[in-house]
Amino acid sequence: MENIKLSFEKDSAIALKNIKLQRALNKAIDQFRNVRWRAVREFQDWEQLRVSARRIKEWTIDHLDGYLEMLEANVINAGGNVHWASDANEACEIILDIAQKHKVKSVVKSKSMATEEIELNHSFEGAGIKVVETDLGEYIIQLANERPSHIIAPAIHKTKDDISKLFVEKLNTPYFNEPEDLTKIAREKLRNEFLNADMGVSGVNFSVAETGTIVIVENEGNARLTTTVPRIHVALMGIEKVIPRFEDLPIFLNILIRSATGQKMSTYVSLITGPKRNSDLDGPEEFHLVIMDNGRSKILSNEETRESLYCIRCGACLYICPVYKKVGGHSYGWVYQGPIGAIITPQLLGIDKASDLPFASSLCGACKDVCPVKINIPRVLLELRARVINDKRVGARFLLRIAVKLWRFTMENTSFYNLALRLSYILQKPWIRHGRLVSLPFPFSRWTKKRDFPAISKIPFRKQWKEIKDLEF
Amino acid sequence: MISNSREDILKRIRIGLHRLAIVRGGNEYISKASSSYKETQQKLEIIRRNMIEKKSFLLDMFMNEVTKVNGNVFIVKSEDEIKHYVTRLVEEHDAKSLAIWESGFLKQINLREFLEIKGLGFVSPYSKEQMAEADIGITEGDFCIAETGTIVLITNERQPRSISLIPPVHIAIVKSDEIIENSKDLFFLLANTVGESGSLKNLTSCITFITGPSRTGDIELSITLGVHGPKELHIIIYDS
Ligand code: SF4
């Protein structure tokens, strides 16, 4: 993880040229937006729900140490084990250690961003332990040896043809092109993995301090199998996942599920408290909860960015983001994508490793409006941008300052502003293609390398406005 | 290897929050939010009364929602009808081997004995290999949520989790007076009914919410049923 250096600029340029990806993204995102919109509209007190969720999150993070201790005590009380991991390495070590102590040969995993974050699969493979992703999307991604491109729908960038070919190549199946058949193949293959696995690793959507319960939300049933069939269940959670009370759960289930998939309720919600009891007929004999920091306490210590920890990973900001819609998940280079990726990745990995990301936004604010816990993502982005600039070389900072000064002078002087506009109107001519400015010379090339800009109009807006105003009102 | 991570993490949080010592926001918040004993009892009373008085309304809503998520619902008026309907499903699926909960109501109507006489075999959830062979799993819902079409199953020694999970067909028998309007009321009820199995004071290892059959949209967003869990969910509502 140490030597990661992400390049949003380079990766997004590649994504923009990938027509297949553009088509897949358009289709998926339009569909998601509609369904989610309906699920939210249907709920009478959606605004009230957001406010409550936000308040509970604020309260919990402000008292996080106490709630984590309470959670720990209650998990132990229910017969489970609790481990604490300061960083990704320690989390991997802890989980590997549990596996090795029990001579585990094969592991099944249900979808979990936290385990992606610590690259747990590498650790298992390095130790000669087989590990299989069981969420259908994740399974496809694992076969293709890629990274998920969306936190809720990991294989959103793949077509069924891609997947059919992948199955032919990796699983030696005949070529089927129907989702129905492909799903059936995966079911059969994965059933065997479940029956043979000694250990199941899951994530955690929420954990309840008051009862020591972990909550897992899913549609496929693979998380239920992961947490029921193998002898040992290990769950990994970031420190921010805890909520105080059992009774807070309906609030969080509602905002998470409606925002994430537009369902009223997901197919399965499991509330797991400890391992199987002695008299239970099935379920894991051992339950381990790993509570991981990995940079989160640093986020918490800065009041400007603390709210990044309120995120419940619903993915709504991804669907709504115009930048994500164009560049897709892989451009963000790491496990978290879209607006939430743009704020969380630089904070978890270090700002120097992902300095492009805070700029991967037009600051339109759609993410803030959609976020069920009301995270002010644009504000956090600005804060992070300021940090990037402050880290830059003196020369660059100097140039930036001059540019801003010039901008300000122009904006404050009407006659100079008008002059500048007229001048630009004349000078722009050689670069206009279909009414847009493309490939301008330096320094404007910094802008047009990635995107175009509408050509400056002959009649200034002020004049146009006068006419429009008279017409309409 | 002795790790101090626990203390380190808690300390980093404390410093991050500019505090010197731990503040147990926990209990304070919990007691502030929960109402007095009397208020709680009153609220419980209202929820229970609603379940009875609004029964037919809730029943309609529940059935409607289950159908929307690709589940099948069927209302029956007598125990015989339950047996009849289960038999029909068994025959339709040409099922040979079943798994069933040994729970209160299912015992009371002797469903297992009835099916054994018909020559059907039963497997035990003790063995996952056996469970993998079962054609149909039969359970009993502890609660239903009308607003979402959800059945709630509480794991305990007579109610194992894999029966609603591993077989490709899941039949759940529920009673019409177990339908609660929404998840908020359900959690309130669970959190405040002392001593009952699954309640907060006595949480069992697992509580499972099931809303329709197992589904995925991971391949081009086309909804496909039965990816890991049951492909079919049949809910028989006993409305005596
Ligand atoms: S930032 Fe908000 S909208 Fe985005 S994933 Fe997190 S909770 Fe959802």
Side-chain angles (χ1 to χ4, degrees):
Chain A
M1 207 172 96
E2 281 70 25
N3 38 32
I4 301 180
K5 171 96 180 132
L6 309 181
S7 175
F8 182 81
E9 257 193 60
K10 268 219 305 280
D11 293 346
S12 59
I14 299 169
L16 283 170
K17 296 207 183 84
N18 184 342
I19 294 171
K20 221 164 79 179
L21 174 74
Q22 294 293 324
R23 221 178 282 143
L25 280 172
N26 276 339
K27 180 179 162 196
I29 288 172
D30 289 343
Q31 188 172 331
F32 270 130
R33 283 188 189 172
N34 284 337
V35 185
R36 193 202 75 92
W37 183 238
R38 223 180 303 141
V40 165
R41 286 290 294 274
E42 220 170 45
F43 197 88
Q44 272 181 358
D45 304 319
W46 183 249
E47 239 351 87
Q48 188 50 47
L49 206 61
R50 287 174 79 196
V51 173
S52 314
R54 167 88 190 191
R55 265 202 214 123
I56 297 171
K57 273 287 174 191
E58 282 172 0
W59 175 273
T60 317
I61 298 292
D62 280 351
H63 300 84
L64 190 58
D65 45 352
Y67 284 119
L68 288 175
E69 284 195 334
M70 190 192 272
L71 174 70
E72 176 190 41
N74 286 319
V75 170
I76 294 172
N77 200 19
N81 305 286
V82 177
H83 312 261
W84 301 73
S86 269
D87 55 23
N89 279 339
E90 196 180 359
C92 286
E93 271 169 28
I94 290 169
I95 299 174
L96 209 58
D97 200 49
I98 301 171
Q100 281 165 340
K101 262 194 201 129
H102 291 84
K103 306 207 164 39
V104 166
K105 286 191 201 65
S106 102
V107 174
V108 281
K109 261 186 71 195
S110 61
K111 196 166 82 182
S112 141
M113 301 316 296
T115 58
E116 292 278 345
E117 186 184 316
I118 64 170
E119 302 193 341
L120 182 62
N121 291 8
H122 283 207
S123 298
F124 277 135
E125 281 155 9
I129 296 172
K130 182 180 175 193
V131 52
V132 183
E133 294 286 350
T134 60
D135 171 86
L136 180 59
E138 295 274 351
Y139 180 61
I140 293 166
I141 295 300
Q142 193 187 26
L143 286 179
N145 213 351
E146 288 177 17
R147 261 186 198 285
S149 67
H150 189 289
I151 57 179
I152 303 292
I156 178 178
H157 60 291
K158 284 205 165 315
T159 63
K160 56 186 178 187
D161 180 57
D162 292 340
I163 297 164
S164 310
K165 285 183 183 142
L166 184 71
F167 278 17
V168 172
E169 187 198 324
K170 302 274 168 150
L171 302 174
N172 293 319
T173 58
Y175 182 94
F176 290 112
N177 201 9
E178 282 314 307
E180 187 100 3
D181 297 319
L182 295 169
T183 305
K184 216 165 117 195
I185 295 172
R187 177 183 170 112
E188 277 157 24
K189 294 271 172 200
L190 288 168
R191 262 306 157 90
N192 288 327
E193 305 292 354
F194 280 119
L195 292 175
N196 294 327
D198 314 293
M199 180 163 137
V201 176
S202 77
V204 169
N205 287 106
F206 307 106
S207 55
V208 183
E210 179 188 28
T211 56
T213 304
I214 65 159
V215 181
I216 304 179
V217 174
E218 54 151 350
N219 281 322
E220 297 187 357
N222 64 310
R224 285 186 69 198
L225 287 162
T226 302
T227 59
T228 300
V229 181
R231 221 165 70 235
I232 305 156
H233 171 201
V234 179
L236 174 68
M237 65 173 259
I239 52 172
E240 81 284 15
K241 291 279 174 199
V242 66
I243 58 173
R245 301 184 309 153
F246 198 70
E247 268 181 72
D248 298 330
L249 276 174
I251 296 176
F252 284 97
L253 289 176
N254 261 312
I255 59 162
L256 172 65
I257 295 167
R258 285 172 199 261
S259 300
T261 57
Q263 291 165 290
K264 288 181 185 172
M265 182 69 95
S266 61
T267 306
Y268 301 118
V269 177
S270 306
L271 316 182
I272 298 171
T273 314
K276 86 187 256 277
R277 306 297 185 260
N278 280 337
S279 52
D280 283 354
L281 296 173
D282 55 11
E285 283 152 32
E286 275 184 34
F287 171 70
H288 297 265
L289 179 63
V290 181
I291 302 176
M292 173 176 76
D293 182 346
N294 203 29
R296 288 163 173 79
S297 59
K298 211 172 86 215
I299 300 182
L300 172 141
S301 68
N302 186 317
E303 272 163 57
E304 298 296 326
T305 52
R306 185 175 294 163
E307 61 179 320
S308 322
L309 292 179
Y310 303 159
C311 174
I312 56 169
R313 309 276 187 265
C314 71
C317 56
L318 277 67
Y319 306 141
I320 214 75
C321 178
V323 177
Y324 177 87
K325 188 173 176 182
K326 291 312 286 180
V327 304
H330 287 147
S331 305
Y332 294 83
W334 203 47
V335 282
Y336 304 110
Q337 309 94 17
I340 184 61
I343 64 172
I344 221 115
T345 304
Q347 295 189 74
L348 288 179
L349 286 181
I351 198 118
D352 50 316
K353 296 200 171 103
S355 54
D356 289 355
L357 283 183
F359 296 89
S361 163
S362 64
L363 299 180
C364 72
C367 46
K368 172 189 161 198
D369 291 343
V370 82
C371 175
V373 281
K374 292 176 172 270
I375 300 175
N376 193 339
I377 297 174
R379 212 192 45 105
V380 178
L381 282 170
L382 284 177
E383 164 69 21
L384 296 173
R385 286 183 186 186
R387 282 188 211 168
V388 174
I389 300 295
N390 282 336
D391 283 354
K392 281 228 164 115
R393 277 170 296 125
V394 186
R397 253 156 60 196
F398 179 70
L399 280 180
L400 194 73
R401 196 162 298 153
I402 303 254
V404 172
K405 283 243 164 79
L406 208 65
W407 177 254
R408 183 172 163 187
F409 177 77
T410 317
M411 298 309 275
E412 283 177 353
N413 293 276
T414 323
S415 46
F416 188 73
Y417 176 81
N418 285 339
L419 186 71
L421 214 59
R422 284 294 267 288
L423 216 59
S424 328
Y425 173 68
I426 297 164
L427 289 177
Q428 69 176 348
K429 296 227 157 125
W431 289 279
I432 298 180
R433 306 267 178 286
H434 308 292
R436 324 243 347 144
L437 293 173
V438 288
S439 52
L440 289 169
F442 186 80
F444 307 107
S445 56
R446 304 275 321 245
W447 177 278
T448 51
K449 235 170 36 193
K450 295 276 140 21
R451 35 195 156 9
D452 53 17
F453 195 80
I456 293 161
S457 149
K458 189 173 177 188
I459 310 162
F461 179 72
R462 274 167 297 123
K463 264 208 197 120
Q464 289 188 28
W465 174 242
K466 271 191 198 130
E467 286 161 25
I468 301 170
K469 208 171 61 181
D470 293 343
L471 273 177
E472 298 272 326
F473 306 104
Chain B
M1 182 189 68
I2 298 166
S3 147
N4 286 324
S5 291
R6 181 183 186 278
E7 274 61 43
D8 290 348
I9 293 172
L10 292 173
K11 200 166 119 202
R12 281 199 294 271
I13 294 172
R14 218 133 44 219
I15 293 171
L17 295 168
H18 309 296
R19 282 202 266 100
L20 292 174
I22 192 162
V23 174
R24 288 200 172 67
N27 304 321
E28 185 192 320
Y29 168 65
I30 286 171
S31 56
K32 196 167 66 188
S34 48
S35 34
S36 72
Y37 178 79
K38 207 174 139 208
E39 276 166 6
T40 306
Q41 292 309 312
Q42 274 169 356
K43 224 170 136 187
L44 280 177
E45 187 53 42
I46 295 172
I47 293 173
R48 289 206 172 102
R49 212 172 43 223
N50 266 342
M51 288 169 75
I52 299 163
E53 283 171 6
K54 288 164 80 179
K55 197 174 91 177
S56 69
F57 168 75
L58 295 176
L59 190 63
D60 279 349
M61 182 159 35
F62 177 71
M63 290 179 65
N64 197 1
E65 292 300 326
V66 173
T67 318
K68 275 198 220 160
V69 292
N70 311 86
N72 303 300
V73 255
F74 199 78
I75 295 198
V76 297
K77 296 278 175 210
S78 68
E79 292 172 12
D80 281 346
E81 263 186 280
I82 297 178
K83 290 176 184 159
H84 178 76
Y85 193 68
V86 173
T87 313
R88 220 182 77 195
L89 284 170
V90 167
E91 281 165 3
E92 266 171 27
H93 290 89
D94 198 17
K96 300 277 177 306
S97 151
L98 311 180
I100 190 168
W101 275 9
E102 306 282 330
S103 55
F105 182 64
L106 298 184
K107 281 237 124 164
Q108 186 193 316
I109 63 171
N110 292 318
L111 188 57
R112 179 175 177 152
E113 288 70 21
F114 171 81
L115 291 165
E116 271 170 346
I117 292 168
K118 293 204 163 250
L120 287 152
F122 282 85
V123 298
S124 157
Y126 247 138
S127 146
K128 52 188 178 186
E129 285 76 19
Q130 270 190 32
M131 273 307 294
E133 301 299 315
D135 302 307
I136 297 180
I138 305 173
T139 68
E140 177 187 335
D142 289 285
F143 293 101
C144 306
I145 307 173
E147 205 176 77
T148 54
T150 304
I151 52 173
V152 179
L153 307 187
I154 296 174
T155 303
N156 62 34
E157 63 276 12
R158 278 164 285 115
Q159 311 194 152
R161 354 182 170 178
S162 46
I163 293 186
S164 64
L165 175 63
I166 295 182
V169 179
H170 175 202
I171 304 175
I173 294 156
V174 303
K175 291 192 217 142
S176 58
D177 55 9
E178 285 164 353
I179 308 175
I180 300 183
E181 185 159 352
N182 54 39
S183 54
K184 196 171 146 214
D185 287 352
L186 174 81
F187 275 92
F188 188 84
L189 198 76
L190 286 176
N192 291 295
T193 36
V194 187
E196 288 176 25
S197 156
S199 81
L200 205 54
K201 310 290 182 297
N202 184 24
L203 272 190
T204 67
S205 57
C206 190
I207 301 177
T208 312
F209 288 37
I210 299 178
T211 311
S214 155
R215 65 169 59 218
T216 183
D218 276 349
I219 301 178
E220 288 198 3
L221 299 176
S222 74
I223 297 297
T224 312
L225 301 180
V227 50
H228 283 294
K231 197 181 170 93
E232 287 178 35
L233 172 66
H234 299 271
I235 300 177
I236 304 175
I237 307 173
Y238 179 52
D239 184 30
S240 58

